[in-house]
Amino acid sequence: MMKQRWKFLPRLLKFRHLELDSALQQVLWTVAYPKRVFRYHQDQNEMRGYRARDDPSFLLLLCVFMSVSAIGYGLWLQLPVTGVICGWLWTVMVDCLATAVFVAVVMWLIANKLLSQQPGHNSVEWAYCFDVHLNAFFPLALGIYGVQLLLWPLLSRSGMAISLLANTIWLLSTGYYVYMTFLGYSVLPSSRHTTLLLYTVLPLLVLYITALPLGWNFSSAFGTLFAWRTGTA
């Protein structure tokens, strides 16, 4: 398994060998047919003996999308060139890559300790946990880094109706992330009690319900955080 993972990154340097068509199809599946994405991982396991991707195309597409979005936010927020570059680095290196590694580690521990029928046997691959996060994160990114970006001139304003729209985008995006994560682990034959993952939607709902009376606009807060991280706020 480790040998297979070491082949993952070098393939980035061999552009002609990247399976971009398959990755684009999987991106579509994450939004329209989420179960097909994890059926792909099952087929991968049957053919090659492991569920995780051995091609970095999906991750590459995500990084490209996040890069374009980061530049777009930098322009909307009227950041200087250095701020745009810093925002891009934060978005790709932290929001995308570092977060993916951290979440994969946490979910690998949870999957093998709490959700496994045989706790301690490490039957779930860390690389698969990484892919589950990527599969779930892409639709979330489309909402927060895509739809929100396109509607930024509207969502960055004040007003109860605008806050409701902004917060609804966040609720749908994060809620779908939870659902995709649940799908990723529920298809594993060694997993149990995966419905517990769905309960993480409850605090999201509570936050959503309480945010409007308090005047919170998650999109506006996102913009403030984005600018603050670049040191230009």
Side-chain angles (χ1 to χ4, degrees):
M1 182 61 196
M2 288 303 298
K3 182 178 180 181
Q4 176 260 326
R5 296 312 296 173
W6 278 113
K7 295 179 180 179
F8 185 89
L9 293 178
R11 292 190 65 174
L12 285 171
L13 303 177
K14 302 177 181 179
F15 188 81
R16 293 183 179 179
H17 298 282
L18 294 176
E19 300 173 5
L20 293 175
D21 291 343
S22 176
L24 284 171
Q25 186 177 51
Q26 291 170 48
V27 169
L28 174 63
W29 287 347
T30 61
V31 178
Y33 310 102
K35 292 184 179 180
R36 290 189 184 181
V37 180
F38 298 108
R39 194 177 305 154
Y40 162 85
H41 289 285
Q42 289 179 305
D43 294 340
Q44 174 98 343
N45 185 50
E46 293 175 0
M47 291 187 298
R48 304 183 182 181
Y50 48 84
R51 289 184 173 83
R53 296 183 178 94
D54 56 4
D55 180 84
S57 298
F58 192 91
L59 177 60
L60 179 62
L61 291 178
L62 177 59
C63 289
V64 170
F65 173 78
M66 297 286 281
S67 297
V68 174
S69 179
I71 295 173
Y73 275 116
L75 295 177
W76 276 127
L77 295 171
Q78 299 181 340
L79 301 180
V81 175
T82 54
V84 173
I85 295 175
C86 188
W88 167 70
L89 289 174
W90 265 100
T91 300
V92 175
M93 301 304 296
V94 178
D95 297 350
C96 184
L97 299 178
T99 299
V101 172
F102 175 76
V103 172
V105 171
V106 172
M107 291 307 302
W108 177 75
L109 293 172
I110 292 176
N112 286 298
K113 302 297 182 182
L114 301 178
L115 303 180
S116 177
Q117 296 181 9
Q118 296 179 315
H121 283 254
N122 294 340
S123 57
V124 182
E125 312 158 5
W126 176 88
Y128 177 73
C129 296
F130 184 80
D131 282 342
V132 170
H133 169 76
L134 295 185
N135 292 340
F137 185 75
F138 219 127
L140 184 150
L142 289 175
I144 305 303
Y145 294 90
V147 175
Q148 180 178 261
L149 175 64
L150 295 176
L151 298 177
W152 185 254
L154 173 64
L155 298 178
S156 58
R157 298 178 182 178
S158 59
M160 182 173 294
I162 293 176
S163 296
L164 178 62
L165 175 60
N167 296 350
T168 299
I169 292 174
W170 275 82
L171 176 66
L172 294 177
S173 300
T174 53
Y176 197 78
Y177 175 88
V178 171
Y179 173 67
M180 286 287 289
T181 301
F182 160 74
L183 286 182
Y185 293 99
S186 64
V187 299
L188 299 177
S190 60
S191 294
R192 62 174 182 174
H193 307 317
T194 53
T195 53
L196 293 174
L197 296 172
L198 295 176
Y199 285 105
T200 55
V201 173
L202 295 179
L204 298 178
L205 286 172
V206 172
L207 185 60
Y208 174 77
I209 294 172
T210 57
L212 194 60
L214 295 174
W216 293 347
N217 182 320
F218 297 150
S219 295
S220 180
F222 174 88
T224 301
L225 176 63
F226 190 97
W228 176 80
R229 294 195 305 184
T230 66
T232 59

Coordinates of all heavy atoms in Angstrom, one line a residue, residues 48-108:
R48 N -7.6 -3.9 -8.1 CA -6.2 -3.6 -7.7 C -5.9 -3.9 -6.3 O -4.8 -3.8 -5.9 CB -5.9 -2.2 -8.0 CG -6.1 -1.8 -9.5 CD -5.7 -0.4 -9.8 NE -6.0 0.0 -11.2 CZ -5.7 1.1 -11.8 NH1 -5.1 2.1 -11.1 NH2 -6.0 1.4 -13.0
G49 N -6.9 -4.2 -5.5 CA -6.7 -4.6 -4.1 C -6.6 -3.5 -3.1 O -6.3 -3.6 -2.0
Y50 N -6.9 -2.3 -3.6 CA -7.0 -1.1 -2.7 C -8.1 -0.1 -3.2 O -8.3 -0.1 -4.4 CB -5.6 -0.4 -2.5 CG -5.0 -0.1 -3.9 CD1 -5.3 1.0 -4.6 CD2 -4.0 -1.0 -4.4 CE1 -4.7 1.3 -5.8 CE2 -3.4 -0.7 -5.6 CZ -3.7 0.4 -6.3 OH -3.1 0.7 -7.5
R51 N -8.7 0.6 -2.3 CA -9.8 1.5 -2.6 C -9.3 2.9 -3.0 O -10.0 3.6 -3.8 CB -10.8 1.6 -1.5 CG -11.6 0.4 -1.2 CD -12.6 0.6 -0.1 NE -13.5 -0.6 0.1 CZ -13.2 -1.7 0.7 NH1 -12.0 -1.7 1.4 NH2 -14.0 -2.7 0.8
A52 N -8.2 3.3 -2.5 CA -7.8 4.7 -2.8 C -7.3 4.9 -4.2 O -6.9 4.0 -4.9 CB -6.6 5.0 -1.8
R53 N -7.4 6.1 -4.7 CA -7.0 6.5 -6.0 C -5.5 6.4 -6.1 O -4.8 6.7 -5.2 CB -7.4 7.9 -6.4 CG -8.9 8.2 -6.4 CD -9.1 9.6 -6.9 NE -10.6 9.9 -7.0 CZ -11.3 10.4 -6.1 NH1 -10.8 10.7 -4.9 NH2 -12.6 10.6 -6.2
D54 N -5.0 6.0 -7.3 CA -3.6 5.9 -7.5 C -3.2 7.0 -8.6 O -2.1 7.1 -9.0 CB -3.1 4.6 -8.0 CG -3.8 4.0 -9.2 OD1 -4.7 4.8 -9.7 OD2 -3.6 2.9 -9.6
D55 N -4.2 7.8 -8.9 CA -4.0 8.9 -9.9 C -4.3 10.2 -9.2 O -5.4 10.3 -8.6 CB -4.9 8.7 -11.1 CG -4.7 9.8 -12.2 OD1 -3.8 9.7 -13.0 OD2 -5.5 10.7 -12.2
P56 N -3.5 11.2 -9.3 CA -3.7 12.5 -8.6 C -4.6 13.5 -9.4 O -4.7 14.6 -8.9 CB -2.2 13.0 -8.5 CG -1.6 12.5 -9.7 CD -2.2 11.2 -10.0
S57 N -5.2 13.1 -10.4 CA -6.0 14.0 -11.3 C -7.1 14.7 -10.5 O -7.3 15.9 -10.6 CB -6.5 13.3 -12.5 OG -5.5 12.8 -13.3
F58 N -7.8 14.0 -9.7 CA -8.9 14.5 -8.9 C -8.4 15.6 -7.9 O -9.0 16.7 -7.9 CB -9.6 13.4 -8.1 CG -10.9 13.8 -7.5 CD1 -12.1 13.7 -8.2 CD2 -11.0 14.4 -6.2 CE1 -13.3 14.0 -7.6 CE2 -12.2 14.8 -5.6 CZ -13.3 14.6 -6.3
L59 N -7.3 15.3 -7.2 CA -6.7 16.3 -6.4 C -6.2 17.5 -7.1 O -6.3 18.7 -6.7 CB -5.5 15.7 -5.6 CG -4.7 16.6 -4.6 CD1 -5.6 17.2 -3.6 CD2 -3.6 15.8 -4.0
L60 N -5.6 17.3 -8.3 CA -5.1 18.4 -9.1 C -6.2 19.3 -9.6 O -6.1 20.5 -9.5 CB -4.4 17.8 -10.4 CG -3.8 18.8 -11.4 CD1 -2.8 19.7 -10.7 CD2 -3.3 18.1 -12.6
L61 N -7.4 18.7 -10.0 CA -8.5 19.5 -10.4 C -9.0 20.4 -9.2 O -9.4 21.5 -9.4 CB -9.6 18.6 -10.9 CG -9.4 18.0 -12.3 CD1 -10.5 17.1 -12.6 CD2 -9.1 19.0 -13.4
L62 N -9.1 19.8 -8.0 CA -9.5 20.5 -6.8 C -8.6 21.7 -6.6 O -9.0 22.8 -6.3 CB -9.6 19.5 -5.6 CG -10.0 20.2 -4.3 CD1 -11.3 20.8 -4.4 CD2 -9.9 19.1 -3.2
C63 N -7.3 21.4 -6.6 CA -6.3 22.5 -6.4 C -6.4 23.6 -7.4 O -6.3 24.8 -7.1 CB -4.9 22.0 -6.4 SG -4.5 20.9 -5.0
V64 N -6.7 23.3 -8.7 CA -6.8 24.3 -9.7 C -8.1 25.1 -9.4 O -8.1 26.3 -9.5 CB -6.9 23.6 -11.1 CG1 -7.4 24.6 -12.1 CG2 -5.6 23.0 -11.5
F65 N -9.2 24.4 -9.1 CA -10.4 25.1 -8.8 C -10.3 26.1 -7.6 O -10.7 27.2 -7.6 CB -11.5 24.1 -8.5 CG -12.8 24.8 -8.0 CD1 -13.7 25.4 -8.9 CD2 -13.1 24.7 -6.7 CE1 -14.8 26.0 -8.5 CE2 -14.3 25.3 -6.2 CZ -15.2 25.9 -7.1
M66 N -9.6 25.6 -6.5 CA -9.4 26.4 -5.4 C -8.5 27.6 -5.7 O -8.6 28.7 -5.1 CB -8.8 25.6 -4.2 CG -9.7 24.4 -3.8 SD -11.0 25.0 -2.7 CE -10.2 25.2 -1.2
S67 N -7.5 27.4 -6.6 CA -6.6 28.5 -7.0 C -7.4 29.6 -7.7 O -7.2 30.8 -7.4 CB -5.5 27.9 -7.9 OG -4.7 27.0 -7.2
V68 N -8.2 29.2 -8.6 CA -9.0 30.2 -9.4 C -9.9 30.9 -8.4 O -10.1 32.2 -8.5 CB -9.8 29.5 -10.5 CG1 -10.8 30.5 -11.1 CG2 -8.9 28.9 -11.5
S69 N -10.5 30.2 -7.5 CA -11.4 30.8 -6.5 C -10.7 31.8 -5.6 O -11.2 32.9 -5.3 CB -12.1 29.8 -5.7 OG -13.0 30.3 -4.7
A70 N -9.5 31.4 -5.1 CA -8.7 32.3 -4.3 C -8.4 33.6 -5.0 O -8.5 34.7 -4.4 CB -7.5 31.6 -3.8
I71 N -8.0 33.5 -6.2 CA -7.7 34.7 -7.0 C -9.0 35.6 -7.1 O -8.9 36.8 -7.0 CB -7.1 34.3 -8.4 CG1 -5.8 33.6 -8.2 CG2 -7.0 35.6 -9.2 CD1 -5.2 33.1 -9.5
G72 N -10.1 34.9 -7.4 CA -11.4 35.6 -7.5 C -11.7 36.4 -6.2 O -12.1 37.5 -6.3
Y73 N -11.6 35.7 -5.1 CA -11.8 36.4 -3.8 C -10.9 37.6 -3.6 O -11.3 38.6 -3.1 CB -11.8 35.4 -2.7 CG -13.0 34.6 -2.4 CD1 -13.1 33.3 -2.6 CD2 -14.2 35.3 -2.0 CE1 -14.2 32.5 -2.4 CE2 -15.4 34.6 -1.8 CZ -15.4 33.2 -2.0 OH -16.5 32.5 -1.8
G74 N -9.6 37.4 -4.0 CA -8.7 38.4 -3.8 C -9.1 39.7 -4.6 O -8.9 40.8 -4.2
L75 N -9.6 39.4 -5.8 CA -10.0 40.5 -6.7 C -11.3 41.2 -6.1 O -11.4 42.4 -6.1 CB -10.3 40.0 -8.1 CG -9.0 39.5 -8.9 CD1 -9.4 39.0 -10.2 CD2 -8.0 40.6 -9.0
W76 N -12.2 40.4 -5.7 CA -13.5 41.0 -5.1 C -13.2 41.8 -3.9 O -13.8 42.9 -3.6 CB -14.5 39.9 -4.7 CG -15.3 39.4 -5.8 CD1 -15.5 38.1 -6.2 CD2 -16.2 40.1 -6.7 NE1 -16.4 38.0 -7.3 CE2 -16.8 39.3 -7.6 CE3 -16.5 41.5 -6.8 CZ2 -17.7 39.7 -8.6 CZ3 -17.4 41.9 -7.8 CH2 -18.0 41.0 -8.6
L77 N -12.2 41.3 -3.0 CA -11.9 42.0 -1.8 C -10.9 43.1 -2.0 O -10.5 43.8 -1.1 CB -11.3 41.0 -0.8 CG -12.3 39.9 -0.3 CD1 -11.6 38.9 0.5 CD2 -13.4 40.6 0.5
Q78 N -10.5 43.3 -3.3 CA -9.6 44.4 -3.7 C -8.2 44.3 -2.9 O -7.7 45.3 -2.4 CB -10.2 45.8 -3.5 CG -11.5 45.9 -4.4 CD -12.1 47.3 -4.2 OE1 -11.9 48.0 -3.2 NE2 -12.9 47.7 -5.2
L79 N -7.7 43.1 -2.8 CA -6.4 42.9 -2.1 C -5.3 43.3 -3.0 O -5.4 43.2 -4.3 CB -6.3 41.5 -1.7 CG -7.4 40.9 -0.8 CD1 -7.1 39.4 -0.5 CD2 -7.5 41.7 0.5
P80 N -4.1 43.7 -2.5 CA -3.0 44.0 -3.3 C -2.4 42.6 -3.8 O -2.9 41.6 -3.4 CB -2.0 44.6 -2.3 CG -2.4 44.1 -1.0 CD -3.9 44.0 -1.0
V81 N -1.5 42.7 -4.7 CA -1.0 41.5 -5.4 C -0.4 40.6 -4.3 O -0.6 39.4 -4.4 CB 0.1 41.9 -6.4 CG1 0.8 40.6 -7.0 CG2 -0.5 42.7 -7.5
T82 N 0.3 41.1 -3.4 CA 0.9 40.2 -2.3 C -0.2 39.6 -1.5 O -0.1 38.4 -1.1 CB 1.8 41.1 -1.4 OG1 1.0 42.2 -0.9 CG2 3.0 41.5 -2.1
G83 N -1.3 40.3 -1.3 CA -2.5 39.7 -0.6 C -3.1 38.6 -1.4 O -3.5 37.6 -0.8
V84 N -3.2 38.8 -2.7 CA -3.8 37.7 -3.5 C -3.0 36.5 -3.5 O -3.5 35.4 -3.4 CB -4.0 38.2 -5.0 CG1 -4.4 37.1 -5.9 CG2 -5.0 39.4 -5.0
I85 N -1.6 36.7 -3.6 CA -0.7 35.5 -3.6 C -0.8 34.8 -2.2 O -0.9 33.6 -2.1 CB 0.7 36.0 -3.8 CG1 0.8 36.5 -5.2 CG2 1.7 34.8 -3.6 CD1 2.2 37.1 -5.6
C86 N -0.8 35.6 -1.1 CA -0.9 35.0 0.2 C -2.3 34.3 0.4 O -2.3 33.2 1.0 CB -0.8 36.1 1.3 SG -0.7 35.5 2.9
G87 N -3.4 34.9 -0.1 CA -4.7 34.2 0.0 C -4.7 32.9 -0.8 O -5.3 31.9 -0.4
W88 N -4.0 32.9 -2.0 CA -3.9 31.7 -2.8 C -3.2 30.6 -2.0 O -3.6 29.5 -2.0 CB -3.3 32.0 -4.1 CG -2.9 30.8 -4.9 CD1 -3.7 29.9 -5.5 CD2 -1.5 30.4 -5.1 NE1 -2.9 28.9 -6.1 CE2 -1.6 29.2 -5.9 CE3 -0.3 30.8 -4.7 CZ2 -0.5 28.5 -6.3 CZ3 0.9 30.1 -5.1 CH2 0.7 29.0 -5.9
L89 N -2.1 31.0 -1.4 CA -1.3 30.0 -0.7 C -2.1 29.4 0.5 O -2.1 28.2 0.7 CB 0.0 30.6 -0.2 CG 1.1 31.0 -1.2 CD1 2.2 31.7 -0.6 CD2 1.6 29.7 -1.9
W90 N -2.8 30.3 1.2 CA -3.6 29.8 2.3 C -4.7 28.9 1.8 O -4.9 27.8 2.4 CB -4.2 31.0 3.0 CG -3.5 31.5 4.2 CD1 -2.7 32.6 4.2 CD2 -3.5 31.0 5.5 NE1 -2.1 32.8 5.5 CE2 -2.6 31.8 6.3 CE3 -4.1 29.9 6.1 CZ2 -2.4 31.6 7.7 CZ3 -3.9 29.7 7.5 CH2 -3.1 30.5 8.3
T91 N -5.3 29.2 0.8 CA -6.4 28.5 0.3 C -6.0 27.1 -0.2 O -6.6 26.1 0.1 CB -7.1 29.2 -0.9 OG1 -7.6 30.5 -0.4 CG2 -8.3 28.4 -1.4
V92 N -4.9 27.0 -1.0 CA -4.5 25.7 -1.5 C -3.7 24.9 -0.5 O -4.0 23.7 -0.3 CB -3.6 26.0 -2.8 CG1 -3.0 24.6 -3.3 CG2 -4.4 26.6 -3.9
M93 N -2.8 25.5 0.2 CA -1.9 24.8 1.1 C -2.6 24.4 2.4 O -2.4 23.3 3.0 CB -0.6 25.6 1.4 CG 0.2 25.9 0.2 SD 0.6 24.4 -0.8 CE 1.7 23.6 0.3
V94 N -3.4 25.3 2.9 CA -4.1 25.1 4.2 C -5.5 24.5 4.1 O -5.8 23.4 4.5 CB -4.1 26.3 5.1 CG1 -4.8 26.1 6.4 CG2 -2.7 26.8 5.3
D95 N -6.4 25.3 3.4 CA -7.8 24.9 3.3 C -7.9 23.6 2.5 O -8.8 22.8 2.8 CB -8.6 26.0 2.6 CG -8.6 27.3 3.3 OD1 -8.2 27.3 4.5 OD2 -9.0 28.4 2.8
C96 N -7.1 23.4 1.5 CA -7.3 22.3 0.7 C -6.4 21.1 1.1 O -6.9 20.1 1.6 CB -6.9 22.6 -0.8 SG -7.1 21.3 -2.0
L97 N -5.1 21.3 1.1 CA -4.1 20.2 1.3 C -4.0 19.8 2.8 O -4.1 18.7 3.2 CB -2.8 20.5 0.7 CG -2.8 20.7 -0.8 CD1 -1.4 21.0 -1.3 CD2 -3.4 19.4 -1.5
A98 N -3.6 20.8 3.6 CA -3.3 20.5 5.0 C -4.6 20.0 5.7 O -4.5 19.1 6.5 CB -2.8 21.8 5.7
T99 N -5.7 20.7 5.4 CA -7.0 20.2 6.0 C -7.3 18.8 5.6 O -7.8 18.0 6.4 CB -8.1 21.2 5.6 OG1 -7.8 22.5 6.1 CG2 -9.4 20.7 6.2
A100 N -7.1 18.5 4.4 CA -7.3 17.1 3.9 C -6.5 16.1 4.6 O -7.0 15.0 5.0 CB -7.1 17.0 2.4
V101 N -5.2 16.4 4.8 CA -4.4 15.4 5.6 C -4.9 15.3 7.0 O -4.9 14.2 7.5 CB -2.9 15.9 5.5 CG1 -2.0 15.1 6.4 CG2 -2.4 15.9 4.1
F102 N -5.2 16.4 7.6 CA -5.6 16.4 9.0 C -6.9 15.6 9.2 O -7.0 14.7 10.1 CB -5.8 17.8 9.6 CG -6.3 17.9 11.0 CD1 -5.6 17.6 12.1 CD2 -7.7 18.2 11.2 CE1 -6.1 17.6 13.3 CE2 -8.2 18.2 12.4 CZ -7.4 18.0 13.5
V103 N -7.9 15.9 8.3 CA -9.2 15.2 8.4 C -9.0 13.7 8.1 O -9.7 12.9 8.8 CB -10.2 15.8 7.4 CG1 -11.5 15.0 7.4 CG2 -10.5 17.3 7.9
A104 N -8.2 13.4 7.2 CA -7.9 12.0 6.9 C -7.4 11.2 8.1 O -7.7 10.1 8.3 CB -7.0 11.9 5.7
V105 N -6.4 11.9 8.8 CA -5.9 11.2 10.0 C -6.9 11.0 11.0 O -7.1 9.9 11.6 CB -4.7 12.1 10.6 CG1 -4.3 11.5 11.9 CG2 -3.5 12.1 9.6
V106 N -7.7 12.0 11.3 CA -8.8 11.9 12.3 C -9.8 10.8 11.9 O -10.2 10.0 12.7 CB -9.5 13.3 12.5 CG1 -10.7 13.1 13.4 CG2 -8.5 14.3 13.1
M107 N -10.2 10.9 10.6 CA -11.2 9.9 10.2 C -10.7 8.5 10.1 O -11.4 7.5 10.3 CB -11.8 10.3 8.9 CG -12.7 11.5 8.9 SD -14.0 11.4 10.2 CE -14.9 10.0 9.6
W108 N -9.4 8.4 9.8 CA -8.7 7.0 9.8 C -8.8 6.4 11.2 O -9.1 5.3 11.4 CB -7.3 7.2 9.4 CG -6.5 5.9 9.4 CD1 -6.6 4.9 8.5 CD2 -5.5 5.6 10.3 NE1 -5.7 3.9 8.9 CE2 -5.0 4.3 10.0 CE3 -4.9 6.2 11.4 CZ2 -4.0 3.6 10.7 CZ3 -3.9 5.6 12.2 CH2 -3.5 4.3 11.8

